[in-house]
Amino acid sequence: GESVGLHLPTLSVQEGDNSIINCAYSNSASDYFIWYKQESGKGPQFIIDIRSNMDKRQGQRVTVLLNKTVKHLSLQIAATQPGDSAVYFCAENPSTGKLIFGQGTTLQVKP
Amino acid sequence: EAGVVQSPRYKIIEKKQPVAFWCNPISGHNTLYWYRQNLGQGPELLIRYENEEAVDDSQLPKDRFSAERLKGVDSTLKIQPAELGDSAVYLCASSLMGQGSGNTIYFGEGSWLTVV
């Protein structure tokens, strides 16, 4: 079936460095993607989204890149902070309205 | 503005007992979702409502799970009887509209169920 997956289950970075979290999706017809951050004991929190007619979108300290040719999505976090430690999920939101999540990448920020 | 509100936050029950979760979506959001998240996994959709109508319940185990959204606002999710494998986080979410892309889905904090 359809699935959205992440390349690495865990990513460890030094505080102040940039982080890059990757995601591969399988549904070439998907036209909208979202990154969520989930801290321990909390629900997923919306970070940033991107439509398929774009290849880059920037937010505050975060950038999402979309490569439709290889069906790849990435989340870049600039100057990673301890508060960025969490599990990050990419999700595909096709026109059916059904959000499909990947497995998640745990970001660990070392002080 | 309040986000998606869920209760209870935590629940521990014995197997074969019933349990119910309640959700109040963001004001004005027509679409409500219930997701289940197992440990270490991403959330998976159980049911989606557009107003009062369940438009996608294909992943809801209907033998023991039921849900309702009678007035198109609050929703409850019930499990009866609960099984050990039902231990998970039950997430409620809402969006302004369900159909079409670009409708951001906002999640509540989840109801953490442990079945013993």
Side-chain angles (χ1 to χ4, degrees):
Chain A
E2 298 173 354
S3 67
V4 179
L6 293 173
H7 291 300
L8 292 175
T10 303
L11 176 66
S12 184
V13 300
Q14 202 70 38
E15 180 179 358
D17 288 351
N18 296 333
S19 303
I20 300 177
I21 302 172
N22 295 305
C23 174
Y25 64 95
S26 59
N27 188 345
S28 57
S30 296
D31 59 1
Y32 180 59
F33 304 89
I34 310 170
W35 279 101
Y36 284 92
K37 172 187 180 183
Q38 188 171 24
E39 297 176 276
S40 181
K42 297 186 177 181
Q45 177 187 1
F46 172 86
I47 302 175
I48 192 168
D49 57 3
I50 188 168
R51 296 178 186 268
S52 60
N53 61 352
M54 304 170 66
D55 53 19
K56 180 179 180 179
R57 191 174 186 204
Q58 288 184 295
Q60 186 176 14
R61 282 202 308 120
V62 295
T63 301
V64 55
L65 299 177
L66 176 63
N67 185 330
K68 294 182 290 295
T69 302
V70 295
K71 292 186 287 187
H72 184 269
L73 192 69
S74 69
L75 177 70
Q76 300 179 0
I77 304 174
T80 311
Q81 304 169 0
D84 295 326
S85 295
V87 179
Y88 289 81
F89 292 96
C90 66
E92 165 191 6
N93 191 359
S95 59
T96 59
K98 180 177 181 177
L99 201 60
I100 301 171
F101 283 81
Q103 294 297 308
T105 290
T106 299
L107 177 64
Q108 298 174 337
V109 182
K110 297 177 288 185
Chain B
E1 180 181 342
V4 178
V5 180
Q6 293 187 243
S7 68
R9 285 296 320 277
Y10 305 95
K11 190 75 175 180
I12 301 174
I13 62 171
E14 294 183 342
K15 61 182 180 181
K16 301 184 180 180
Q17 294 302 305
V19 63
F21 306 114
W22 174 83
C23 173
N24 180 246
I26 293 173
S27 178
H29 280 193
N30 298 327
T31 305
L32 183 146
Y33 312 76
W34 283 102
Y35 280 80
R36 177 169 59 188
Q37 185 176 24
N38 293 311
L39 188 64
Q41 303 294 315
E44 295 180 330
L45 181 69
L46 291 174
I47 189 168
R48 173 168 65 97
Y49 284 93
E50 290 187 10
N51 298 305
E52 301 91 352
E53 183 182 1
V55 296
D56 184 355
D57 62 356
S58 57
Q59 301 301 312
L60 189 72
K62 298 180 182 63
D63 57 335
R64 298 182 300 105
F65 286 66
S66 64
E68 60 183 12
R69 194 185 185 200
L70 294 177
K71 297 183 179 179
V73 180
D74 295 0
S75 176
T76 56
L77 176 69
K78 298 178 181 179
I79 308 174
Q80 182 172 14
E83 297 180 351
L84 294 177
D86 296 331
S87 295
V89 181
Y90 292 85
L91 293 161
C92 181
S94 69
S95 65
L96 195 57
M97 291 180 293
Q99 291 298 328
S101 63
N103 297 310
T104 303
I105 298 174
Y106 297 93
F107 286 83
E109 299 286 59
S111 292
W112 299 66
L113 174 66
T114 301
V115 182
V116 297

